[in-house]
Every structure is written in structure tokens, then in C-alpha cells.
Amino acid sequence: DKDISLTEELIFTHNENFFSFDFAALDYITPEKNEYAYMMEGFDNNWIYSGNKNTASYTNLDAGEYIFKVIASNNEGVWNYEGTSLKIHILPPWWETVWFRLLTIAAIAAAIFIIVYKRIKYLDNQRITLKKLVDKRTQELQNTNNKLRIQTQELTRSYNLLEEGQAEIEMQSEELSAQKESLEKLNKELNNLNATKDKFFSIIAHDIKSPFNAIIGFSELIKENYQTWTDEQKIRTIDIILNSSRTLHELLENLLHWSRNQRGTISFNPQIIDIEELFNNIASLTQANIKSKNIELTTKTEGENLTAYADKFMVDLVMRNLISNAIKFTFSEGQIKITAKNVNSFVRIEVEDSGTGISENALQNLFSIETNQTTPGTNKEKGTGLGLVLAKEFVVQNGGEIGVKSTEGRGSTFYFTLPSTKPKKI
């Protein structure tokens, strides 16, 4: 419309996006030394320094608004940073205009509305048809349900009667089954107990018979040879009778205690036991047997005021049986050591001997009454093994454990534990 130097804005269509600008600095002293820089705001990010070239070209600019700026320097390198500028406005094509987009959105919205409306109308018709069908089917189902309810009530009454009868039959069956199992278990236990006791009493009878035979036989020998035997022969025979009597007494005493324990007639009265005092009493009671084989007996308690919480009578019997066994299987001039120490909340008592030891096969059933077995001592002393069975029952009854470590030919160590203090009530 007017000269380019006076124009403030140029407007182009979307396909008029290829153009060039020519510009010149108004310094004519040495114009070839003038330098230029230009930038299209909205397209260029930085100034483009073109040296003394005074032309700028742009192609394929997108629709939008731009500002073309130019600055220049004179021949001495002094820049005019104010420069000059020109607004460029490239119009978008008709399909990118706002009104076209609004019309498109409106057309799409109208199409969606029509589709949704028709769909809703169709679904309403379907719903009405389906409701009529559901109402009809519901009425039919209600009629059928009423008939089924009546039949169900009748079946329920019949089922309840059958269930009551079945429950009663099952209860009676369970009771009979439980009674049968209980009777079978009791019968099996009774058979095992009878077999065990028969075997046990057979062993006891045999072991009682042996010392009685010795007492009777050697008593008759003394009676028949009293006038002709020397005093040494008489004393030797009397010693045999005395040892047989002691063996018989020990057997009968253990048998009596075991029988009372099986019947539950031995009262259980736990109390605080002084271990050192217990050792002293046992040592004095077994002094005669110790001296007869010239055995060295030593006792030791680790720690002061060592105590156990157990039935004193039962513990005495356990100790007597273990020491009696140790004496029986220890050679003359041998050693027996009795020690006690605290292990956690228990007292562990050990009876160690330097005797014959026990074979590995014999160790497995040493505390079992079912496989009761005896072995003669170093001086042919007799025994039944009942003392160890009784010792185990008494130790377990006091809340402890009993065991043995042995090497055949090198001696044995019997040990058992007892609570060191009275257990706390929960």
C-alpha cells in the first residue's frame, strides 16, 4: 500500500510464505565495511550475524505473527542496536481457522447427540419390552416358586426327621466305635502288661531262687562240716551266705518299692535337698560294701550350698542303687567318684566307676523292664537290674532325666538331673 520503509506490518496468505528482505545501513563513508545482524522473532532464537551481506530469506513459515528486526554497524564497528523492525502476519488456511474448527466441533457434537439420542431411544424401547417379558416370567416363577416352597417344606420336614435319626445312629456308632477302640487299646495294653509282668516275675523268681539256694546250700554245708572245717572255711562260707542275703534283701526292697510305685501308694513329697549332706549320708550307708572291696570313694560338689528340689526318699533310693551297681562292677582297689554341679536350672549328679563297663548292646535296654537283664559283678555278685528301672521311674517322677556313658573294660558313668529349685507356678 505504501513504501516498505514506511510500512509497519505485512499480511500474507498461508501460501505466500517465501520471501526475502534487502536492507542497508545509512553510512556511506565506506559502505562495504558496514555489517548487519537480523532476527525473525517467533522463528529465530538468536541474532544472525551476516557480516556485510544485506539480504535475509525465509521459506515455509507457519501461520502466525512474527517481527523481523535488523541492526547494523558502521565502518568503525559501532553498532546501532535500536535498528529497525517490521511485523509479519501470515494468515492460516481456511481449514485451520477458528471458525472452521468451531463448526467442525459443532458438527461432531451434533452427530454424537443424534447417535446417543437414537441409542437411548432404542434402549428405552428395549427396556420396556424386556420389562414386560420380565414381569411375565416373574409371575410364572412366583407361581412355580410357591409350588416349590410347599414341596420344600414337606421335604424339609422329612429330611429333618431323617437327619435326627441319622445323627442318633451316627452318635451311637461313634460311641460304639470309641468303646471298641478303647477296649482294644486296653486289651492290648493289658496283654503287653501281663506279658511284661510275666517275664519280669519269671526273672525275679529266678533271681530270688539263686540267693535262696546259696543260703540254704552253704548253710547245710556249714551244718554238715562244722566240726571238721577250719575257721577260715567257715568265715568264707558265712561271707557267701551274707552276700547272698544282702542281694536278696536288695532285690526284695527294690521289688517292694517298684510295686508300691506301680500302685501309686508311694507319696511324693518334694523338698529342698542339700546335695553335700546327701552325699555324706550315702557314703556312710555304703561304707561296709566299699571296705569289703577296698574301693576308694570320693565326692565333690561344684559350688557352695548346692541344692535340689525333689523327694528325698526317692533320691536316696536312686543314689543307693547307682552306688550299689558301681561297687558291684568295680574291681578291688578301684575308684568311684560322685560329683554334682549346676547345669542351667538343674543339678546334674554323676556316679563314675573304674569297673568293667557295659557293652553297647546292653546299654540300649539298660533302663527297660521289658528286657530286664543281669550281669554278675566282679566278685560274682548277683543282681536283677530292677534297681535301674526303679531309679529311672523315680528320676522322671521328680522332673529329671537319667542316662549312662560307658566303655566296655574302662568303666561307666551314670548321671541324672533334678530341678535345682522349686518350679514356679504358672
Side-chain angles (χ1 to χ4, degrees), residues 6-31:
L6 301 176
T7 300
E8 295 180 355
E9 181 178 13
L10 292 176
I11 299 175
F12 300 108
T13 62
H14 70 278
N15 54 1
E16 295 176 331
N17 57 356
F18 175 80
F19 41 79
S20 297
F21 295 97
D22 292 330
F23 39 83
L26 302 181
D27 188 339
Y28 306 107
I29 298 175
T30 52

Side-chain angles (χ1 to χ4, degrees), residues 149-164:
R149 187 182 296 111
I150 295 171
Q151 293 176 357
T152 301
Q153 291 174 353
E154 294 177 355
L155 289 173
T156 301
R157 282 194 295 268
S158 301
Y159 176 76
N160 289 337
L161 292 174
L162 289 172
E163 195 174 41
E164 290 175 2

Side-chain angles (χ1 to χ4, degrees), residues 79-94:
W79 286 87
N80 174 13
Y81 290 105
E82 181 177 356
T84 186
S85 62
L86 179 66
K87 289 183 180 180
I88 306 297
H89 187 190
I90 300 176
L91 299 176
W94 61 269

Side-chain angles (χ1 to χ4, degrees), residues 80-117:
N80 174 13
Y81 290 105
E82 181 177 356
T84 186
S85 62
L86 179 66
K87 289 183 180 180
I88 306 297
H89 187 190
I90 300 176
L91 299 176
W94 61 269
W95 59 84
E96 290 185 1
T97 58
V98 174
W99 60 266
F100 176 79
R101 292 177 179 177
L102 291 176
L103 286 176
T104 302
I105 293 172
I108 293 171
I112 293 172
F113 174 79
I114 293 170
I115 292 170
V116 171
Y117 175 78

Side-chain angles (χ1 to χ4, degrees), residues 250 253-254 257 269 271-286 308 310-324 338 349 351 387 390-391 394-395 398 416 418:
E250 180 185 350
E253 186 178 26
N254 281 335
H257 291 319
N269 299 308
Q271 57 182 294
I272 298 296
I273 300 174
D274 186 285
I275 300 299
E276 191 169 352
E277 181 182 341
L278 171 70
F279 285 0
N280 292 335
N281 292 339
I282 296 299
S284 63
L285 290 175
T286 57
D311 186 287
K312 192 173 186 304
F313 166 77
M314 294 182 178
V315 177
D316 283 343
L317 193 62
V318 172
M319 288 295 298
R320 287 205 309 272
N321 275 295
L322 294 184
I323 296 175
S324 176
I338 308 174
I349 299 174
V351 178
L390 189 61
F394 281 173
V395 168
N398 279 276
F416 65 96
L418 296 170

Side-chain angles (χ1 to χ4, degrees), residues 261-331:
N261 190 53
Q262 295 300 305
R263 298 195 310 271
T265 57
I266 295 180
S267 59
F268 180 63
N269 299 308
Q271 57 182 294
I272 298 296
I273 300 174
D274 186 285
I275 300 299
E276 191 169 352
E277 181 182 341
L278 171 70
F279 285 0
N280 292 335
N281 292 339
I282 296 299
S284 63
L285 290 175
T286 57
Q287 193 65 34
N289 292 338
I290 293 290
K291 285 185 177 180
S292 68
K293 297 182 77 170
N294 198 21
I295 294 172
E296 180 185 355
L297 175 67
T298 59
T299 61
K300 179 183 178 182
T301 56
E302 296 183 8
E304 297 181 357
N305 301 322
L306 204 60
T307 60
Y309 184 77
D311 186 287
K312 192 173 186 304
F313 166 77
M314 294 182 178
V315 177
D316 283 343
L317 193 62
V318 172
M319 288 295 298
R320 287 205 309 272
N321 275 295
L322 294 184
I323 296 175
S324 176
N325 270 356
I327 294 171
K328 185 186 302 181
F329 294 103
T330 299
F331 297 101

